[in-house]
Amino acid sequence: MSPPPQPPAPPPVLSIAAGVIEVRGRFLVARRPQESHAGGTWEFPGGKQRPGEPIEGTLRREVLEETGLGFGSAVLLHFEEHSYPDRTVALHFFLCVDPKGEPEGREGQDLRWVTVDELMRLEVPAGNRRILEILSEQFEGAG
């Protein structure tokens, strides 16, 4: 008799850094490309951590690559693991303090400044919902 089939391996965990960039009560968000995972939804700029890269290094690299912005310091606001059917993501949401430069969609993506109230109405990836609740609690009535 042959051994029972093994269950499929769990999907890999992707470590993601996301930059919450706030200026005068407005947050910078980017629209994901239609052909990507969660395509067409809005998210904070950021991306995947490279092997051996510190997570804050990922944050600085990805925010610069996507928007052209630098920033003074970063404070971790929220960490969450979220499982999608095809992947699990370890999401590190950082507040980017003292942003420098004018943002532009360097990868062809739409960028938008939104109030916290507008942010709550945008379609976002499921893994981003909790950070929106946190921001809504912290910035209630700011927009």
Side-chain angles (χ1 to χ4, degrees):
M1 225 177 169
S2 58
Q6 293 295 316
V13 176
L14 302 173
S15 189
I16 307 291
V20 177
I21 301 166
E22 182 268 336
V23 175
R24 294 184 297 280
R26 297 177 91 70
F27 297 88
L28 184 65
V29 291
R31 187 169 225 159
R32 293 185 59 79
Q34 286 296 337
E35 66 279 1
S36 69
H37 174 79
T41 60
W42 293 88
E43 65 180 0
F44 297 106
K48 295 183 205 101
Q49 184 178 30
R50 293 177 178 162
E53 182 179 44
I55 195 67
E56 191 174 319
T58 302
L59 175 69
R60 288 184 182 281
R61 176 181 53 77
E62 287 284 350
V63 168
L64 182 63
E65 286 176 1
E66 290 184 13
T67 69
L69 291 177
F71 52 88
S73 61
V75 178
L76 183 64
L77 290 176
H78 180 63
F79 171 81
E80 172 174 344
E81 275 199 10
H82 185 84
S83 294
Y84 293 97
D86 62 335
R87 68 188 70 192
T88 297
V89 290
L91 299 162
H92 303 78
F93 292 96
F94 289 90
L95 178 63
C96 298
V97 179
D98 192 24
K100 299 173 184 348
E102 286 297 319
E104 59 179 301
R106 289 188 162 184
E107 297 176 344
Q109 77 279 35
D110 291 331
L111 297 180
R112 184 187 296 178
W113 289 101
V114 295
T115 65
V116 72
D117 294 333
E118 292 166 330
L119 188 59
M120 297 301 290
R121 292 192 297 270
L122 292 176
E123 184 179 352
V124 299
N128 290 18
R129 291 190 185 124
R130 180 65 188 128
I131 189 64
L132 298 188
E133 293 170 7
I134 292 167
L135 292 173
S136 178
E137 291 164 8
Q138 295 301 311
F139 290 86
E140 187 176 1

